[in-house]
Amino acid sequence: MSARSSVSHDSDSGQEDSNTSKDMRRRSTSESEHKGLLASAPRWSGNGIQQRKKTWRQRRAVRLCLLFVVALLLLLGGASIVVKQKSEPPYGESEPWYPAPTGGTVQRWEKSYERAAELVRQMTLPEKVNVTTGTGWSMGMCVGNTGPVERLGFPSLCLQDGPLGLRFVGNATAFPAAITVGATWNKRLMFDRGRAHGLEARLKGINVLLGPSMGPLGRLPAGGRNWEGFGADPVLQGIAAAQTIKGIQSEGVIATAKHYVANEQEHFRQAWAWGTSNAISSNIDDRTMHEIYAWPFAESVRAGVGSVMCSYNQVNNSYACQNSKLLNGVLKDELGFQGFIQSDWLAQRSGVASALAGLDMTMPGDGLGWQDGKSLWGPELTKAVLNGSVPMDRLNDMVLRIVASWYQLGQDDTSRWPDPAHGGGPNFSSWTDDRVGSLHPGSPGSTEMGVVNQYVPVRDTEEGGNHDALVRGMASEAIVMVKNELGILPIPRSIKGVMTKGGDGKLRVGIFGEDAYPNPKGNNACPDRGCNEGTLAMGWGSGAVELPYLVSPAEALHREFDTETVEVTDWKTNTLNGVDGTAAAQDLCIVFINSDAGEGYLSWNGIKGDRNDLFPQKGGDDLVRSVAANCGGRKENGEPASDTIVILHTVGPTILEKWIDMPGVKGVLIAHLPGQESGNALADVLFGSYNPSGHLPYTIAKREEDYGPTSGIMRYPNSLVPQQDFTEGLYIDYRYFDKYNITPRYPFGFGLSYTTFSLGDLDIHMGNLQGAQAIPVPARDRLTPPKLDPRVPDPNTALWPPGLRPLNRYVYPWLESGGVGREGRYPYPAGYEHWHAPSPAGGGEGGNPALYELAATVTTTIANTGPVHGDAVLQLYVSLPSDTTDSFGKPLDHPVRQLRNFEKVSLGPGERREVEMMVGRKEVSYWDVGVQDWVVPRGVVGVCVGFRGSRDQGFEGGQGGCLGVEMFER
Ligand code: BGC
């Protein structure tokens, strides 16, 4: 959330972190809220009298200045045309897609739409507008608050971040971040985390949770917010997002799939915030959009998600929140989305155009700047309906979608929500920790006070059990062991009768690195966790939460080691001075390093959201090198006498090359972002109470360049509107490594265990596609949405209610008399006059239901052949035939392999299990741009299953198996 988007506090101002974070919240809001606006405000809007008094000298200086600015703009404009011509996006601009499809077309939502229609029919025009528009930044208790329709019992909706817990809420759970959850590859845990998250939200009175995030998807390994999503693959993201959504929504809370779409980097994501007047444009071709970036959103819609958040950036040079192709075309028509589209916070850049393009709710309701009270909707939307520029049908559909989602999640059942007798709604404030506080803190001069924090406990309840334990289990399941030489791991808690360095039978263990210890200034010292101090439990930004507590690794290790037989030495910093000697005195060295990133409205130590490189931060590489070279002193051959284990907390792919092959480095665990139970989860794996079963949700390269020439962050604008061409198409992460035959350090899906597994033969049973069409039969059974009165109401119904005293800058739906305007011609966007035909690929939630029919069932067995219990992750990859041509007759290139399903299997020693994995029609299809549909290719499709990552067939003694099958009988 970027009310703080222009707050940049680097390491120096990290001093401020000792302030309580809620104080910072208020301050940073007021400090920063207008920066973007000021930058764009007309220079000459000041005091006219003073201007008249200017001398001719001043006037000449002004003229010269203006001349200079105009010349500069012309120059930049010229340059941008050149740059633009050189990098014309593959499909030019975005195709117009009108009108906005109406919700209520699928069976599963039928009842909710009927009920919604009944309610919305009774609403006046301003009441309808109120439901679509936020009341303005920090005008209510949540990060987003819509206007209520009290007369009809429809409440103000509370929208709150975010993907890893409840932001700005005291004493709620700090779950592991999504990248950590992706690394578990455990579908059940993904659901459980969602359910626990949803329950906490409901108990706090949150109607709409702003997560899960699946965009950024991870195209750029240094992307600042990749950690808010589940990994660099559309299927992993899609399954994890769907499970999370089902979990959250099982508690009656509306989940939000965000950020739609292609918001892959922080630099230039917003207009003005990065010095360019427009946000970056992600230029993507149609096939790549379908097969990579829109895929997880399709899975989210299929899971029944109630809301989708459109992103800040542009896509093919049209802002994502007013891109009719993406909102009306792909999301609502083709994917059959039945819920509502909300804007990211200030991502809406136009009033009428965004409404026509399919936006249903504006957040937080302000206009182009924070707390400006000049909403692009609110009274403007009322006016737009009255003067005919936004059809009444469109407004009806917006409101129906929001109200239907509310019914769909059962939110009308007040017995499940905070007690309406006590005000209902949110029982916490995002803006203060005090019990009593301002009810509209964003409104200057507002004096209305009330009880704003009721401190309702949510972490451990009768209804939901203990979430701390859930977090611990999840965080240990996510730990990826990438190196374990000579079986150094697991380590014992106590040592008896062993020769040790001190010769006294006491094992000397050194814990090295700041990342093992808590932030000395406090766990929540940096607002929105916007600094890298102490052990890293989550990234920073709106996706971060206040930690209720944090078990640091050092704390857990001290507790776990038997003090009778083990002596632990702490090296609490990353300082190298003297570390060699301390390392030399140990029998075992455990080094902690990390790499942090976050949302671009905060920067730390020169990192403006996106990471500056993929190396560990704060001198982590040097620390590992020094410790690993010296641990236990040196043997005669110069090698270190003792062993080093490296623990990495990280937001994403991290290059390990500076030390990974050092002989002293025997074990490496990648623990990602574990949340509040960090130390406990790590101890479970280190000491072997839990056998590691995490697998990488991305590829670890040997060099940053190995991710490909288009994988870097664009740090300088290449045009007035920065143009980022996704020319690599489908080839991101492992798809790129496979295509160009680049050996990674560790492939996507890689992870080791303390036990060994063996995989049986694959068996495949063909599903329903045999003898069927390559293109699915179009779906026919769309329901007719409820009809509401399309007539424009009497303008008098939209006037200010007499006697209502407005709050300063609060967004209301009413108009002053005289502000109604007249019906006239509105310059509609190009293509608005021509109605677009529905997509042949649509028809149900997630697209044509036929896309999800069973293509094949793959069966195999997995056995635990080692001495301890272990969890294997079976990963199923599909390779489409290399000799496919598309409907234009052009040869088509497919990725060497693509993840299509996975299953985690728990096995005792010696146990063997049969595992079945389904593959659907869409998973063996490609998107054909010519026919605008998913096509199953003729020819042999390769199906491979392995348990050690995407290269388990042939990569370092891989043990996976493959089969070739034809989807159709010839
Ligand atoms: C972020 C969203 C977040 C919103 C509300 C935006 O800056 O991009 O992810 O949900 O703020 O906090």
Side-chain angles (χ1 to χ4, degrees):
M1 181 288 329
S2 32
R4 292 158 281 273
S5 52
S6 35
V7 185
S8 169
H9 65 91
D10 45 33
S11 50
D12 298 336
S13 54
Q15 301 301 332
E16 298 170 342
D17 294 343
S18 52
N19 291 312
T20 72
S21 51
K22 291 215 179 177
D23 281 351
M24 284 301 295
R25 249 176 264 167
R26 257 181 270 115
R27 205 173 67 212
S28 55
T29 304
S30 51
E31 272 171 4
S32 64
E33 65 201 345
H34 301 304
K35 274 201 186 159
L37 250 198
L38 286 179
S40 60
R43 288 273 163 222
W44 306 112
S45 59
N47 183 324
I49 300 168
Q50 270 177 7
Q51 276 180 41
R52 249 176 276 130
K53 279 191 196 149
K54 283 187 185 358
T55 64
W56 70 269
R57 252 184 244 279
Q58 282 171 318
R59 281 201 297 268
R60 194 181 61 168
V62 166
R63 269 191 225 115
L64 280 174
C65 263
L66 274 177
L67 211 66
F68 176 73
V69 168
V70 170
L72 194 71
L73 282 177
L74 282 176
L75 212 69
L76 278 173
S80 76
I81 289 169
V82 174
V83 175
K84 179 99 193 342
Q85 273 172 354
K86 270 193 166 168
S87 59
E88 193 64 45
Y91 287 85
E93 312 299 331
S94 200
E95 181 197 358
W97 211 113
Y98 299 99
T102 41
T105 53
V106 308
Q107 205 87 54
R108 190 151 58 133
W109 286 70
E110 194 181 7
K111 272 257 134 353
S112 303
Y113 268 89
E114 275 171 12
R115 299 181 70 196
E118 222 169 275
L119 195 77
V120 178
R121 276 192 193 108
Q122 304 170 53
M123 291 185 186
T124 63
L125 171 60
E127 283 172 342
K128 288 178 184 173
V129 168
N130 223 21
V131 174
T132 67
T133 305
T135 53
W137 178 245
S138 65
M139 295 298 170
M141 295 299 104
C142 307
V143 299
N145 309 273
T146 58
V149 184
E150 274 155 16
R151 187 176 66 88
L152 300 174
F154 189 77
S156 156
L157 300 180
C158 161
L159 292 80
Q160 194 74 4
D161 288 299
L164 81 56
L166 307 183
R167 182 182 184 206
F168 293 160
V169 175
N171 218 7
T173 302
F175 291 96
I179 196 70
T180 317
V181 178
T184 68
W185 295 66
N186 183 331
K187 292 177 184 171
R188 188 188 44 77
L189 273 189
M190 291 163 179
F191 176 89
D192 289 349
R193 173 174 170 274
R195 190 201 45 73
H197 193 182
L199 174 69
E200 294 196 6
R202 178 162 59 75
L203 295 177
K204 291 285 179 188
I206 294 165
N207 302 84
V208 184
L209 256 181
L210 304 176
S213 169
M214 57 213 75
L217 185 121
R219 170 183 186 249
L220 312 177
R225 300 184 77 181
N226 291 349
W227 61 273
E228 292 187 48
F230 303 93
D233 175 87
V235 170
L236 179 56
Q237 290 270 11
I239 292 176
Q243 290 297 94
T244 305
I245 288 162
K246 287 179 190 160
I248 292 174
Q249 299 201 154
S250 71
E251 287 295 335
V253 171
I254 298 171
T256 307
K258 71 183 191 183
H259 309 83
Y260 184 70
V261 60
N263 186 171
E264 292 294 319
Q265 65 167 50
E266 291 305 285
H267 282 72
F268 314 116
R269 69 171 185 160
Q270 283 161 295
W272 293 114
W274 298 83
T276 55
S277 53
N278 276 290
I280 194 167
S281 175
S282 301
N283 302 323
I284 309 183
D285 68 85
D286 190 35
R287 182 177 176 206
T288 304
M289 177 58 83
H290 279 85
E291 293 190 21
I292 303 286
Y293 298 96
W295 185 294
F297 289 95
E299 289 299 315
S300 301
V301 174
R302 195 174 152 220
V305 74
S307 182
V308 170
M309 182 191 288
C310 51
S311 53
Y312 285 121
N313 55 296
Q314 307 194 52
V315 179
N316 296 337
N317 287 298
S318 168
Y319 276 99
C321 287
Q322 62 189 61
N323 186 317
S324 62
K325 165 72 184 174
L326 287 177
L327 307 187
N328 288 342
V330 178
L331 192 55
K332 288 185 172 172
D333 172 60
E334 187 187 319
L335 300 182
F337 176 53
Q338 303 295 307
F340 62 93
I341 303 177
Q342 58 171 297
S343 68
D344 198 343
W345 268 231
L346 295 195
Q348 186 194 23
R349 307 313 287 170
S350 64
V352 174
S354 59
L356 300 179
L359 185 70
D360 303 305
M361 180 188 279
T362 172
M363 274 295 142
D366 306 314
L368 295 171
W370 295 98
Q371 279 174 334
D372 61 2
K374 296 180 194 152
S375 185
L376 295 168
W377 284 2
E380 296 300 322
L381 183 56
T382 308
K383 205 190 294 176
V385 170
L386 289 175
N387 68 24
S389 38
V390 171
M392 191 65 198
D393 268 345
R394 179 72 267 269
L395 177 66
N396 284 339
D397 177 57
M398 294 177 188
V399 186
L400 266 181
R401 284 173 174 274
I402 297 167
V403 178
S405 304
W406 182 73
Y407 279 120
Q408 180 78 353
L409 275 297
Q411 297 194 355
D412 55 315
D413 175 2
T414 46
S415 66
R416 296 188 82 203
W417 291 79
D419 189 353
H422 293 101
N427 49 30
F428 69 94
S429 167
S430 299
W431 321 111
T432 176
D433 290 328
D434 298 341
R435 210 174 94 78
V436 174
S438 166
L439 297 183
H440 313 292
S443 174
S446 158
T447 50
E448 252 186 287
M449 304 287 281
V451 173
V452 290
N453 278 307
Q454 294 176 28
Y455 313 107
V456 174
V458 293
R459 280 186 14 239
D460 193 0
T461 59
E462 227 170 84
E463 243 180 304
N466 188 300
H467 293 172
D468 303 347
L470 179 71
V471 168
R472 179 173 181 163
M474 247 182 292
S476 17
E477 266 207 40
I479 293 175
V480 185
M481 182 164 73
V482 292
K483 190 171 182 186
N484 190 17
E485 270 181 22
L486 308 174
I488 177 143
L489 290 163
I491 55 176
R493 286 183 170 82
S494 83
I495 296 276
K496 288 214 177 76
V498 171
M499 277 301 292
T500 59
K501 190 77 194 150
D504 54 2
K506 254 197 161 186
L507 191 82
R508 302 291 192 280
V509 177
I511 303 177
F512 295 87
E514 179 188 316
D515 182 68
Y517 301 89
N519 179 351
K521 295 172 195 150
N523 294 331
N524 297 316
C526 309
D528 285 336
R529 313 297 74 76
C531 65
N532 184 357
E533 307 275 342
T535 192
L536 185 67
M538 62 186 76
W540 73 68
S542 64
V545 299
E546 311 296 299
L547 284 145
Y549 65 89
L550 173 57
V551 180
S552 72
E555 178 189 335
L557 293 184
H558 274 280
R559 187 193 64 216
E560 292 292 316
F561 276 120
D562 169 25
T563 46
E564 294 284 299
T565 58
V566 179
E567 186 177 308
V568 179
T569 300
D570 292 294
W571 187 268
K572 295 189 177 179
T573 67
N574 289 6
T575 325
L576 298 182
N577 199 0
V579 81
D580 300 7
T582 305
Q586 310 303 322
D587 295 299
L588 175 69
C589 301
I590 310 177
V591 195
F592 289 81
I593 56 174
N594 69 29
S595 184
D596 198 2
E599 195 175 342
Y601 67 88
L602 292 172
S603 58
W604 167 80
N605 215 14
I607 299 172
K608 300 175 180 160
D610 304 311
R611 281 185 289 170
N612 291 340
D613 55 51
L614 301 183
F615 293 111
Q617 292 162 3
K618 306 193 99 169
D621 279 329
D622 292 338
L623 183 67
V624 175
R625 288 180 65 81
S626 301
V627 173
N630 293 291
C631 189
R634 285 172 191 276
K635 288 198 213 148
E636 273 166 18
N637 64 6
E639 274 186 24
S642 297
D643 303 321
T644 297
I645 296 166
V646 181
I647 315 293
L648 171 67
H649 288 118
T650 184
V651 286
T654 310
I655 307 281
L656 314 174
E657 294 306 304
K658 293 191 177 162
W659 43 263
I660 191 77
D661 282 332
M662 285 177 74
V665 175
K666 292 285 189 316
V668 179
L669 297 177
I670 301 180
H672 290 111
L673 305 171
Q676 66 193 33
E677 283 284 325
S678 175
N680 289 338
L682 180 73
D684 289 345
V685 168
L686 265 181
F687 296 108
S689 336
Y690 182 75
N691 181 353
S693 67
H695 290 256
L696 290 175
Y698 48 72
T699 301
I700 295 191
K702 292 186 176 169
R703 307 171 314 152
E704 192 166 341
E705 305 82 86
D706 289 350
Y707 290 100
T710 55
S711 68
I713 303 289
M714 179 189 285
R715 294 179 198 275
Y716 302 99
N718 58 356
S719 160
L720 283 184
V721 180
Q723 299 291 313
Q724 193 160 53
D725 299 334
F726 288 35
T727 47
E728 72 290 338
L730 310 174
Y731 301 99
I732 61 165
D733 201 80
Y734 67 90
R735 289 166 171 81
Y736 183 83
F737 285 74
D738 289 343
K739 182 172 171 68
Y740 296 100
N741 210 6
I742 300 165
T743 306
R745 169 54 66 174
Y746 297 116
F748 174 82
F750 183 74
L752 301 173
S753 166
Y754 294 153
T755 188
T756 48
F757 299 105
S758 103
L759 192 74
D761 290 341
L762 302 191
D763 201 7
I764 195 156
H765 296 277
M766 301 310 288
N768 308 334
L769 305 189
Q770 292 278 32
Q773 309 280 334
I775 302 173
V777 179
R780 289 190 207 292
D781 48 358
R782 288 185 176 91
L783 302 181
T784 309
K787 206 71 203 125
L788 266 65
D789 191 348
R791 286 171 306 175
V792 175
D794 176 356
N796 287 321
T797 59
L799 297 181
W800 265 96
L804 183 84
R805 277 216 1 248
L807 286 165
N808 216 344
R809 298 199 196 152
Y810 194 96
V811 179
Y812 299 93
W814 297 287
L815 296 174
E816 303 286 356
S817 60
V820 170
R822 269 175 293 120
E823 207 165 320
R825 269 221 45 89
Y826 176 77
Y828 288 103
Y832 184 67
E833 313 299 335
H834 307 286
W835 285 22
H836 203 291
S839 164
E845 283 180 284
N848 186 346
L851 292 173
Y852 300 99
E853 70 192 13
L854 186 68
T857 309
V858 181
T859 318
T860 185
T861 54
I862 178 93
N864 181 346
T865 49
V868 288
H869 191 285
D871 298 349
V873 174
L874 267 61
Q875 304 167 33
L876 186 151
Y877 294 84
V878 158
S879 310
L880 297 185
S882 52
D883 55 353
T884 326
T885 49
D886 67 9
S887 55
F888 299 118
K890 272 199 354 220
L892 269 188
D893 197 32
H894 300 293
V896 174
R897 57 176 74 80
Q898 310 198 65
L899 180 74
R900 286 306 187 232
N901 205 345
F902 56 87
E903 224 46 79
K904 195 163 199 171
V905 191
S906 208
L907 296 163
E911 197 182 342
R912 172 185 301 273
R913 282 253 209 112
E914 189 173 271
V915 184
E916 242 185 28
M917 279 189 278
M918 317 285 179
V919 182
R921 175 188 267 272
K922 188 176 166 189
E923 282 134 10
V924 290
S925 302
Y926 61 88
W927 176 257
D928 191 301
V929 175
V931 297
Q932 287 289 295
D933 211 335
W934 295 92
V935 178
V936 180
R938 306 254 156 205
V940 178
V941 173
V943 178
C944 298
V945 177
F947 56 87
R948 280 178 64 172
S950 60
R951 294 194 168 191
D952 203 11
Q953 309 82 36
F955 182 77
E956 276 186 18
Q959 298 173 31
C962 294
L963 271 181
V965 287
E966 295 200 38
M967 289 296 147
F968 304 112
E969 285 158 359
R970 281 190 195 269

